Amino acid sequence: MARYDRAITVFSPDGHLFQVEYALEAVRKGNAAVGVRGTDIVVLGVEKKSAAKLQDSRSVRKIVNLDDHIALACAGLKADARVLINRARIECQSHRLTVEDPVTVEYITRYIAGLQQKYTQSGGVRPFGLSTLIVGFDPYSGVPSLYQTDPSGTFSAWKANATGRNSNSIREFLEKNYKETSGQETIKLAIRALLEVVESGGKNIEVAVMTKEGLRQLDEAEIDAIAAEIEAEKEAVEAAKKAPPKEK
Amino acid sequence: MECVFGLVGNDFAVVVADTSAVHSILVHKSNEDKIMILDSHKLIAASGEPGDRVQFTEYIQKNVALYQFRNGIPLTTAAAANFTRGELATALRKNPYSVNILLAGYDKETGPSLYYIDYIATLHKVDKGAFGYGSYFSLSMMDRHYHSGMTVEEAIDLVDKCIMEIRSRLVVAPPNFVIKIVDKDGAREYAWRESVKDAAVASA
């Protein structure tokens, strides 16, 4: 195995590209990120590792916009993310310049995934160590979308997905609890999913909401309020479970 | 024959452009909008080679938008003007753009401003400026009647005076003009001054 995992362009005998798989490991070590699609809204939530006391938290934005109607969150190597995000932003404007239309979510996802794939088939480079969650509304049709890409360059559309640390637990939770929601309900679902693996509180998660009007970052107070609502609902459910057996 | 002019008022800047698209002796259309909204608080009024005009201003517009996404804040008017001039200067001795530009903008910190950028990459920050044959008349009118701190009404009055001069004194005067304004509330179309209306396309 040691001979087949150095160079990216070498397959192992059993058909693996080890560098790509190691890149996926890097993603698994990154912060948790979750995306949930509603009927009129798409929500992105990202775990915020506790900021160093002296760090200006405003300079660490984990959910970024690529264009007025497209946003991206990612898990993995943040420095690699900067490069990818920059290229995507240029492509969004370039598309507008050449065809006088904003990009669709699928187009820019295909572009980013294509870029990630290129770096799995070139000499002397390593793959990008990140998976992205891309959300947005298609221009004109106004349909909301959520897409995910990974270091191998594959991409697909999702109703809800998670990536990064403990993404399996979050995805399990989403599979059990997903239903078509809109507005505030979608935001709550996304935060609930994230709180499965992250310590509760507005300080530890960053949430942004994409509507037809554009991207809106939720501020700490708002997130705290919704987290409190979720806690209260959880407790109510717990209490309901405990109460009936005693009423015998 | 293309007329573009503009001035800075009390808390706003106004730019005016003619709206004829001309090819030799033929007028293609007389409702061509030559003032592009660069971003929420900037206007670019351009005159010159039609292909270059559209190509260059759209290129500037997309780069200004890219800057905003990359940096989270919009460019200042001065920065946008200098960027535009830089692009003209770079292309000048290889593949020059034949475009003259009046860039008007409003910045929260510094208020309204107007920049004169000609096709060989001259850049001047001005209170009033004009391009084309119409400039002979509009600059003279503005020199006579302009004073700093004009209100919107006074400025539009001056604009109308200039348009009247151009219409009466320029041999091939464009019939229609568009007026756009930029202030703290953003860049927007203010009015059209039409003496010839393009016939509406008849439905099938």
Side-chain angles (χ1 to χ4, degrees):
Chain A
M1 197 184 96
R3 278 180 301 192
Y4 302 104
D5 66 357
R6 272 308 133 68
I8 181 66
T9 48
V10 176
F11 272 111
S12 74
D14 53 349
H16 290 253
L17 280 172
F18 279 116
Q19 279 301 304
V20 177
E21 296 188 3
Y22 296 163
L24 280 153
E25 257 312 300
V27 171
R28 260 175 242 127
K29 292 209 163 50
N31 50 242
V34 73
V36 179
R37 187 188 79 192
T39 52
D40 60 351
I41 192 180
V42 210
V43 184
L44 279 173
V46 179
E47 167 192 9
K48 252 198 310 203
K49 295 228 178 79
S50 49
K53 279 211 187 102
L54 295 172
Q55 189 182 65
D56 186 350
S57 54
R58 287 171 307 166
S59 69
V60 190
R61 271 270 92 94
K62 301 216 170 147
I63 303 174
V64 296
N65 53 4
L66 304 179
D67 204 342
D68 296 317
H69 59 302
I70 312 247
L72 175 150
C74 58
L77 268 48
K78 287 295 180 282
D80 287 2
R82 260 201 334 263
V83 175
L84 226 46
I85 289 168
N86 192 38
R87 297 287 293 273
R89 281 175 169 157
I90 294 174
E91 180 60 21
C92 284
Q93 295 306 314
S94 178
H95 187 273
R96 277 180 188 254
L97 188 58
T98 44
V99 305
E100 273 211 21
D101 260 343
V103 295
T104 58
V105 192
E106 199 250 348
Y107 177 93
I108 199 66
T109 306
R110 206 165 353 110
Y111 177 81
I112 292 176
L115 210 47
Q116 288 182 291
Q117 191 280 339
K118 234 185 266 205
Y119 281 70
T120 69
Q121 215 177 7
S122 304
V125 299
R126 62 163 176 81
F128 288 98
L130 68 145
S131 294
T132 69
L133 286 171
I134 300 165
V135 301
F137 280 79
D138 277 347
Y140 308 128
S141 77
V143 173
S145 313
L146 165 66
Y147 282 84
Q148 191 212 30
T149 73
D150 62 30
S152 66
T154 49
F155 73 94
S156 51
W158 294 77
K159 293 186 191 154
N161 200 2
T163 178
R165 220 162 56 85
N166 299 326
S167 58
N168 288 328
S169 333
I170 307 181
R171 209 172 301 119
E172 250 179 67
F173 174 86
L174 286 169
E175 279 173 13
K176 260 198 241 125
N177 294 286
Y178 179 83
K179 49 187 201 305
E180 283 285 316
T181 50
S182 68
Q184 197 67 3
E185 281 306 307
T186 319
I187 304 177
K188 248 208 249 174
L189 180 56
I191 296 182
R192 264 170 67 207
L194 202 48
L195 290 178
E196 289 284 307
V197 303
V198 176
E199 225 182 279
S200 177
K203 264 208 302 284
N204 301 312
I205 54 180
E206 188 178 312
V207 180
V209 164
M210 175 68 84
T211 58
K212 277 217 184 81
E213 279 76 55
L215 187 70
R216 184 171 70 90
Q217 306 265 4
L218 267 56
D219 54 25
E220 237 184 81
E222 252 186 289
I223 302 175
D224 275 330
I226 301 178
E229 248 184 82
I230 294 169
E231 271 305 308
E233 280 174 13
K234 252 198 232 164
E235 274 165 24
V237 169
E238 287 296 316
K241 264 196 231 149
K242 287 201 188 115
K246 283 195 187 141
E247 273 168 16
K248 276 211 200 110
Chain B
M1 305 307 169
E2 292 195 335
C3 304
V4 173
F5 61 95
L7 57 117
V8 176
N10 186 14
D11 217 16
F12 65 94
V14 63
V15 281
V16 186
D18 78 284
T19 58
S20 312
V22 168
H23 182 88
S24 149
I25 57 167
L26 175 69
V27 178
H28 279 301
K29 61 194 291 217
S30 24
N31 57 2
E32 168 83 358
D33 188 350
K34 298 178 190 169
I35 307 183
M36 166 181 281
I37 293 182
L38 194 61
D39 74 11
S40 64
H41 287 73
K42 290 182 196 48
L43 289 168
I44 272 198
S47 73
E49 207 54 62
D52 280 352
R53 174 169 52 79
V54 172
Q55 194 73 348
F56 184 72
T57 53
E58 283 188 356
Y59 171 73
I60 298 297
Q61 186 192 51
K62 301 306 186 259
N63 272 284
V64 167
L66 183 61
Y67 179 95
Q68 185 158 351
F69 283 111
R70 275 198 178 132
N71 299 285
I73 55 169
L75 276 168
T76 57
T77 311
N82 277 281
F83 171 68
T84 306
R85 187 213 91 87
E87 290 299 307
L88 284 168
T90 306
L92 180 62
R93 293 186 196 270
K94 286 207 181 95
N95 199 5
Y97 295 103
S98 302
V99 197
N100 297 308
I101 285 171
L102 278 178
L103 202 159
Y106 184 93
D107 302 303
K108 251 204 320 226
E109 297 82 15
T110 48
S113 50
L114 183 66
Y115 288 86
Y116 171 105
I117 308 169
D118 78 9
Y119 73 105
I120 39 178
T122 308
L123 172 67
H124 289 307
K125 182 173 187 302
V126 294
D127 285 331
K128 48 183 154 40
F131 283 109
Y133 284 120
S135 68
Y136 289 116
F137 309 106
S138 47
L139 274 173
S140 308
M141 286 310 277
M142 289 196 284
D143 282 344
R144 170 70 183 83
H145 294 290
Y146 177 89
H147 58 86
S148 64
M150 295 174 87
T151 65
V152 179
E153 290 71 32
E154 289 176 322
I156 297 299
D157 195 52
L158 178 50
V159 162
D160 280 327
K161 282 197 173 74
C162 294
I163 293 177
M164 199 121 67
E165 276 306 298
I166 294 173
R167 277 197 180 136
S168 57
R169 289 297 184 185
L170 186 54
V171 60
V172 208
N176 303 336
F177 290 82
V178 64
I179 307 173
K180 294 201 182 173
I181 194 172
V182 60
D183 60 17
K184 65 174 181 4
D185 300 321
R188 58 192 179 281
E189 196 177 278
Y190 181 86
W192 284 68
R193 299 283 186 249
E194 287 171 311
S195 58
V196 165
K197 268 203 169 54
D198 259 347
V201 178
S203 50

